């Protein structure tokens, strides 16, 4: 197992036991990358779930042009992440970017958003929401699977839109929410491309995500053994987190349509 060796990729691996794992827990850069990744996950995933649900509800409208709306709302998610990263570099350019021009309308000075540690991750979290179209399609399938008779019965009982949403839509969408939560957490744990292209982990390591640090150790520093140990730790953390989410899901996921 490569994670138990000192291996550069060019020489014969040397067995060193668990020293790579011990070094990983002691490495302050690992702590920084874990903190950045968890921060990204705790913001990007919940926001993404809400944005995707709003898009799905817009796609589910019973209007003649609904096919056009669905196409337009889903289109941004088709753009590859590396291409979207270059687009956002232009958008947030401090001199001619459209974001700074918009903020200037409110009297805010031009800011290098990717050059400020407090803003760089926020830019990437916002950019991640452009990929919400995939989750929105899954939400849409869940919405289409909810019997209309439940809404009709609720309207007869005098329930308004908000009551229908929280008493029918959300409970019966919980299996879909669980699926999108699992895939969203998995994607957030492996965030890499945007940080690599837009900031390369900067400024001040504020966007040094776990996968980016793993990549550096494997391909920049030639420490394949250490990088393999980081990959194993990521896998174990992902398994534990998925198990925790599934365990907690027993409290709120409703698989019985008739119980809605």
């Amino acid at each position: 197992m490569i994670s138990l060796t000192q291996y550069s990729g060019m020489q014969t691996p040397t067995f060193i036991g668990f020293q790579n794992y011990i070094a990983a827990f002691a490495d302050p850069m690992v702590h920084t990358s874990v903190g950045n990744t968890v921060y990204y996950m705790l913001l990007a995933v919940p926001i993404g779930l809400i944005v995707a649900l709003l898009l799905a509800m817009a796609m589910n409208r019973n209007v003649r042009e609904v096919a056009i709306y669905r196409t337009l709302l889903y289109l941004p998610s088709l753009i590859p992440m590396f291409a979207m990263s270059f687009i956002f570099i232009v958008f947030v350019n401090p001199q001619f970017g459209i974001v700074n021009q918009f903020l200037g309308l409110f009297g805010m000075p031009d800011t290098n958003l990717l050059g400020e540690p407090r803003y760089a991750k926020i830019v990437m979290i916002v950019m991640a929401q452009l990929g919400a179209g995939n989750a929105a399609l899954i939400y849409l399938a869940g919405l289409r699977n909810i019997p209309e008779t439940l809404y009709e019965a609720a309207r007869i009982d005098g329930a308004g839109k908000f009551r229908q949403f929280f008493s029918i839509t959300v409970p019966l969408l919980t299996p879909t929410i669980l699926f999108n939560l699992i895939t969203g957490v998995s994607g957030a744990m492996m965030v890499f491309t945007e940080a690599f292209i837009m900031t390369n982990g900067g400024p001040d390591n504020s966007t040094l995500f776990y996968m980016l640090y793993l990549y550096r150790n494997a391909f920049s520093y030639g420490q394949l053994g250490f990088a393999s140990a980081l990959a194993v730790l990521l896998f174990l953390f992902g398994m534990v987190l998925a198990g925790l989410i599934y365990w907690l899901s027993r409290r709120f996921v409703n698989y019985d349509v008739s119980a809605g």
Side-chain angles (χ1 to χ4, degrees):
M1 194 174 182
I2 297 178
S3 65
L4 300 178
T5 66
Q6 183 176 351
Y7 182 45
S8 65
M10 304 296 292
Q11 300 172 343
T12 303
T14 302
F15 182 78
I16 58 174
F18 291 96
Q19 290 187 25
N20 285 325
Y21 293 94
I22 296 173
F25 283 104
D27 188 349
M29 297 306 295
V30 171
H31 301 165
T32 299
S33 64
V34 169
N36 290 333
T37 304
V38 171
Y39 178 93
Y40 178 91
M41 182 190 305
L42 292 178
L43 286 182
V45 175
I47 294 174
L49 291 175
I50 296 173
V51 170
L53 180 56
L54 294 176
L55 290 179
M57 294 181 67
M59 293 178 177
N60 198 38
R61 297 294 297 274
N62 188 20
V63 294
R64 185 174 58 182
E65 304 85 358
V66 67
I68 299 176
Y69 295 152
R70 290 175 181 173
T71 302
L72 293 177
L73 292 174
Y74 181 70
L75 205 56
S77 64
L78 296 178
I79 302 176
M81 184 55 67
F82 74 89
M84 185 62 69
S85 299
F86 285 111
I87 293 173
F88 253 72
I89 289 176
V90 177
F91 279 175
V92 300
N93 185 283
Q95 296 179 338
F96 54 81
I98 189 173
V99 173
N100 272 293
Q101 292 182 9
F102 175 77
L103 295 177
L105 298 177
F106 301 93
M108 300 181 64
D110 292 342
T111 304
N112 185 5
L113 297 177
L114 292 178
E116 291 284 343
R118 55 180 174 172
Y119 296 136
K121 280 195 294 287
I122 301 298
V123 171
M124 297 181 187
I125 290 171
V126 172
M127 186 177 69
Q129 309 316 314
L130 295 178
N134 291 318
L137 285 184
I138 299 173
Y139 273 134
L140 179 61
L143 289 172
R144 305 284 287 185
N145 196 44
I146 299 176
E148 183 61 30
T149 54
L150 295 178
Y151 292 105
E152 293 175 357
R155 285 193 291 269
I156 293 174
D157 291 339
K161 293 290 185 181
F162 286 99
R163 182 63 183 272
Q164 293 177 37
F165 177 77
F166 288 106
S167 298
I168 299 176
T169 305
V170 172
L172 296 184
L173 273 183
T174 47
T176 310
I177 295 173
L178 175 62
F179 177 83
N180 282 334
L181 175 62
I182 292 291
T183 55
V185 168
S186 176
M189 288 172 56
M190 296 184 293
V191 59
F192 168 79
T193 305
E194 49 268 58
F196 179 74
I197 293 177
M198 299 173 70
T199 60
N200 195 27
D204 195 23
N205 293 322
S206 61
T207 59
L208 180 64
F209 297 117
Y210 192 88
M211 282 298 296
L212 179 56
Y213 188 56
L214 190 156
Y215 170 87
R216 285 184 178 178
N217 278 280
F219 301 106
S220 297
Y221 307 152
Q223 298 180 2
L224 292 181
F226 184 69
S228 296
L230 293 179
V232 171
L233 291 174
L234 178 64
F235 170 76
L236 294 176
F237 176 76
M239 292 292 291
V240 171
L241 187 58
L244 178 62
I245 292 175
Y246 276 115
W247 179 73
L248 293 175
S249 70
R250 295 183 299 178
R251 300 172 179 268
F252 67 86
V253 175
N254 174 30
Y255 294 101
D256 186 6
V257 174
S258 62

